[in-house]
Amino acid sequence: MAGSGYTRPPPPPPLGEGAAPAPSAALYVANCGPAVGLTHDDICAAFAAFGEVAGVHSADGSGVRVIVRFREPAAAEAAMSALHGRPCAGLAGRVLHIRYSVPAKPKAPVGGSLPVATSASELGVPGIYLVPDFVTAAEEQELLAAVDNRPWKSLAKRRVQHYGFEFLYETRNVDSKQFLGELPPFVSKIIDKIMSFPGANKCTSKLVDQLTVNEYPCGVGLSPHIDTHSAFEEMIFSLSLAGPCIMEFRKYPKGSWRAPSMVSGTDKDSIEEPQCIRKAVFLPPRSMLLMSGEGRYAWHHYIPHHKIDDVGGQVIKRNTRRVSFTFRKVRMGLCDCEYGQFCDSQSNVLVYL
């Protein structure tokens, strides 16, 4: 397909059902190519007997299928009639299998067309802060080893661990009466360091008392959602380990949000999404993200389900796993924030997906 603009046609439909690809100037030719000793020049010379050949291109990486493009559809039709299912003397007597090729669909840009910021200031979402290299590579390995030595709970597409309080995916909330114990010692240094974030010193009690560890396999992301206001206080910290990702923030206009679909304890993306403001930021391994204020209460956050991301024109492959440590403070009363449109304490609207 490379450079031809055409690709393999779909399988022929059963007799009497559907229609085969319409005749075109491009042919998809199987049993023909470098892997069977035929160069593109050899193929061009053989097909030139039927008309001017505009190009010969590999159809895929197999080396035994090519796209032959003629200048005129009539030449392609003549070649199809003469060579399909018959030995070709000009190509070492190989029996060719030929169908009309179809135009290739243009590829969408990797990660979509949304520009990706590499800093919180470039992102421009109020209340969002990002600190790269929040932990060292050695500390990262220690944290990963600590959670890998503890039991994981499997969800539909990822694994989780909960400390302090268990997050209940069915209700998007926690049972504040079911205390699991203090946060584990292996995150003590992390908790000490997050006290340096803006606003952290205003906290009169424990800054965080709940930790959820998520393990995302390559290609698995997170559906758009706002952490339930009544479940957690304002400041939410998320440490990325083992692999990078893009996090997208979305702000929806008034009256445009709808209730979610819930599937097996995880959120399912809606098929149709309302108009929204979209911004994205790159989260490198070992970086710490703080969501607070408007960014925490009024913007949905979302991790696209990609295996590769485009960051400033650079294609970045996701690792086989990404592990996030999300630290939160469980709220013991109702939320009275200024973002009532998105607040479950102040309205009956569901605000997550």
Side-chain angles (χ1 to χ4, degrees):
M1 183 183 100
S4 72
Y6 286 82
T7 189
R8 179 177 187 164
L15 189 63
E17 296 183 19
S24 72
L27 298 177
Y28 174 82
V29 185
N31 198 27
C32 179
V36 291
L38 302 175
T39 69
H40 286 188
D41 287 343
D42 294 334
I43 298 165
C44 181
F47 278 83
F50 304 95
E52 185 180 356
V53 176
V56 177
H57 308 267
S58 296
D60 51 36
S62 67
V64 296
R65 291 181 282 271
V66 297
I67 303 292
V68 178
R69 289 191 303 114
F70 286 96
R71 297 289 181 190
E72 300 293 336
E77 184 178 2
M80 168 89 83
S81 178
L83 298 178
H84 175 56
R86 298 185 177 91
C88 177
L91 296 175
R94 298 197 71 82
V95 177
L96 306 182
H97 305 283
I98 305 175
R99 287 186 281 158
Y100 287 111
S101 187
V102 295
K105 294 181 180 179
K107 287 187 176 181
V110 176
S113 59
L114 188 65
V116 178
T118 55
S119 67
S121 58
E122 184 184 355
L123 177 70
V125 175
I128 302 300
Y129 300 88
L130 178 65
V131 177
D133 296 316
F134 189 80
V135 296
T136 66
E139 289 171 330
E140 176 184 40
Q141 292 307 311
E142 290 173 2
L143 290 166
L144 292 171
V147 294
D148 283 337
N149 283 330
R150 298 188 174 219
W152 291 92
K153 178 179 180 180
S154 294
L155 302 182
K157 294 183 179 180
R158 65 185 193 271
R159 300 193 300 173
V160 299
Q161 295 179 19
H162 300 290
Y163 299 93
F165 298 87
E166 182 175 3
F167 184 72
L168 305 174
Y169 293 94
E170 296 80 8
T171 60
R172 306 295 299 185
N173 215 314
V174 294
D175 184 348
S176 60
K177 296 178 182 179
Q178 294 294 320
F179 182 54
L180 304 179
E182 300 295 332
L183 297 187
F186 60 80
V187 295
S188 297
K189 290 182 181 179
I190 305 300
I191 296 172
D192 290 341
K193 286 185 72 173
I194 62 178
M195 290 300 297
S196 63
F197 273 88
N201 57 0
K202 296 178 183 178
C203 187
T204 56
S205 60
K206 285 185 180 179
L207 183 62
V208 295
D209 59 10
Q210 194 272 338
L211 166 64
T212 294
V213 182
N214 280 282
E215 181 192 59
Y216 300 92
C218 183
V220 174
L222 187 65
S223 298
H225 71 284
I226 294 174
D227 284 40
T228 311
H229 290 205
S230 63
F232 303 109
E233 297 281 358
E234 177 184 349
M235 305 183 79
I236 297 175
F237 300 86
S238 183
L239 178 66
S240 294
L241 301 177
C245 74
I246 286 174
M247 180 171 282
E248 184 176 318
F249 289 87
R250 299 177 174 184
K251 190 172 185 181
Y252 291 84
K254 273 191 175 182
S256 65
W257 199 242
R258 298 167 298 172
S261 298
M262 305 297 289
V263 180
S264 302
T266 58
D267 295 1
K268 184 179 180 181
D269 290 323
S270 59
I271 297 173
E272 297 178 4
E273 297 189 354
Q275 290 294 324
C276 64
I277 302 170
R278 298 171 59 211
K279 297 186 177 187
V281 66
F282 178 62
L283 303 182
R286 301 188 293 280
S287 64
M288 177 69 88
L289 178 78
L290 165 62
M291 294 183 288
S292 63
E294 180 183 326
R296 178 268 189 267
Y297 283 133
W299 291 70
H300 294 69
H301 58 280
Y302 161 58
I303 298 175
H305 304 269
H306 295 165
K307 292 187 176 180
I308 52 177
D309 293 306
D310 186 340
V311 181
Q314 180 183 1
V315 174
I316 297 177
K317 293 184 178 180
R318 294 199 186 171
N319 287 9
T320 53
R321 71 189 300 217
R322 173 181 172 269
V323 178
S324 68
F325 284 52
T326 302
F327 297 87
R328 296 173 282 208
K329 169 72 173 175
V330 172
R331 191 186 295 276
M332 295 301 176
L334 295 177
C335 176
D336 60 356
C337 70
E338 60 184 282
Y339 306 97
Q341 174 195 348
F342 304 102
C343 183
D344 62 308
S345 290
Q346 301 176 51
S347 83
N348 294 321
V349 178
L350 293 175
V351 296
Y352 40 78
L353 257 183

